[in-house]
């Protein structure tokens, strides 16, 4: 199974692709899509959508896992992240992949073991789980990889629940 | 000049197209794009994006004016509207149209003359400004038409400001 994690954002949108085979998780690709703060927001959303459609079309993940937007202190940032996540969801659903959302707490719990893990802890856990020689950079790519790993941690239970239905 | 107004929403997204020629504003098309609440949100955002791309490609407006999302009482609704507006902006920018956002207060002020106008007042003003035999229905279509009329009301001042630069 191939899973793409997305950490949505308008200025920086992280992505990370993980292949799950047997019991191993292998990092396939990771990076950040950036848009220029100097450009109008609609143009930036259009570019983000186009880059995500291309990226998802290239990797063809079975699942796209997206970090759920929660309302933050900064209302303007929250709205931009909401708009970016809308564009990411449309791009993912259009590829035919299954799309799942996970909250920041779910992601931290399943990757680092507790819901209040900080960025350096998360980075080290992502590095360890994927057996990488060094921490993934930039941090948005590591965050996105954590979303993909969160889906892989939830997938067996999800499959059992669906089988039981 | 052809202007498309959009009242973004995930369950119901209104649109209205107005042609401005000389001093007259003429209604060209209006309606509502609906997505099924029973479907997953990513699928609904994908459908909304596809329908808007098609609609904008069909009418080829010079300008797309979008009602700006403000944070409402209901956080879940605000997020869905934010995601829908992100998808609408991406679709509009991708068509090459200029994209503008207007707040609900700007729209009410320029169409009904004051910022606290209610729905029936707005509906009657839209009907009067476009010389329609009856009020536009559904209400999302009338709301979207009001966004387009708001842009047309602001356009001359905007052009003067740009010319002065």
């Amino acid at each position: 199974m191939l899973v793409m994690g997305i950490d949505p954002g308008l200025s920086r949108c992280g992505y990370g692709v993980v292949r799950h085979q047997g019991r191993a998780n292998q990092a396939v690709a990771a990076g950040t899509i950036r848009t220029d703060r100097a450009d109008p927001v609609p143009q930036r959303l259009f570019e983000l959508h186009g880059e995500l459609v291309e990226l998802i079309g290239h990797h063809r993940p079975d699942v796209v896992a997206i970090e759920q937007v929660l309302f933050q202190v900064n209302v303007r940032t929250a709205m931009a992240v909401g708009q970016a996540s809308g564009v990411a969801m449309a791009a993912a659903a259009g590829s035919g992949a299954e799309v799942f959302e996970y909250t920041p707490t779910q992601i931290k719990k399943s990757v680092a073991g507790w819901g209040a893990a900080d960025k350096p802890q998360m980075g080290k856990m992502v590095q360890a789980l994927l057996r990488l020689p060094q921490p993934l950079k930039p941090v948005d790519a590591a965050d996105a990889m954590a979303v993909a790993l969160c889906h892989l941690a939830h997938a067996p239970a999800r499959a059992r629940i669906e089988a039981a239905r």
Side-chain angles (χ1 to χ4, degrees), chain A:
Chain A
M1 178 162 62
L2 200 65
V3 179
M4 180 184 285
I6 293 179
D7 179 24
L10 189 53
S11 297
R12 301 187 317 272
C13 177
Y15 69 91
V17 183
V18 182
R19 183 180 308 282
H20 178 79
Q21 224 156 11
R23 290 194 172 183
N25 292 324
Q26 186 201 346
V28 174
T32 306
I33 300 166
R34 291 165 192 274
T35 67
D36 192 338
R37 282 174 203 267
D39 288 338
V41 168
Q43 179 62 29
R44 295 168 68 191
L45 288 164
F46 170 64
E47 288 171 12
L48 177 61
H49 181 260
E51 295 221 30
L52 283 170
V53 165
E54 201 178 301
L55 203 60
I56 295 168
H58 176 72
H59 290 291
R60 305 198 151 274
D62 304 293
V63 168
V64 176
I66 302 179
E67 181 161 342
Q68 197 175 320
V69 180
L70 298 181
F71 278 72
Q72 299 153 341
V73 182
N74 185 331
V75 166
R76 282 194 83 83
T77 309
M79 188 44 71
V81 176
Q83 289 171 332
S85 88
V87 157
M89 282 187 181
S95 77
E98 280 196 284
V99 185
F100 295 99
E101 276 191 292
Y102 294 98
T103 66
T105 305
Q106 283 179 307
I107 296 162
K108 285 174 184 170
K109 267 191 187 158
S110 63
V111 171
W114 66 311
D118 62 18
K119 289 259 176 200
Q121 289 174 317
M122 289 293 286
K124 277 183 188 161
M125 285 305 297
V126 167
Q127 181 189 358
L129 289 166
L130 294 170
R131 294 187 180 78
L132 299 173
Q134 52 204 28
L136 259 182
K137 282 183 182 173
V139 71
D140 314 274
D143 287 349
M145 209 54 117
V147 188
L149 290 168
C150 172
H151 175 75
L152 287 167
H154 282 79
R158 194 186 289 272
R160 279 197 302 276
I161 290 164
E162 274 170 23
R165 279 185 191 146

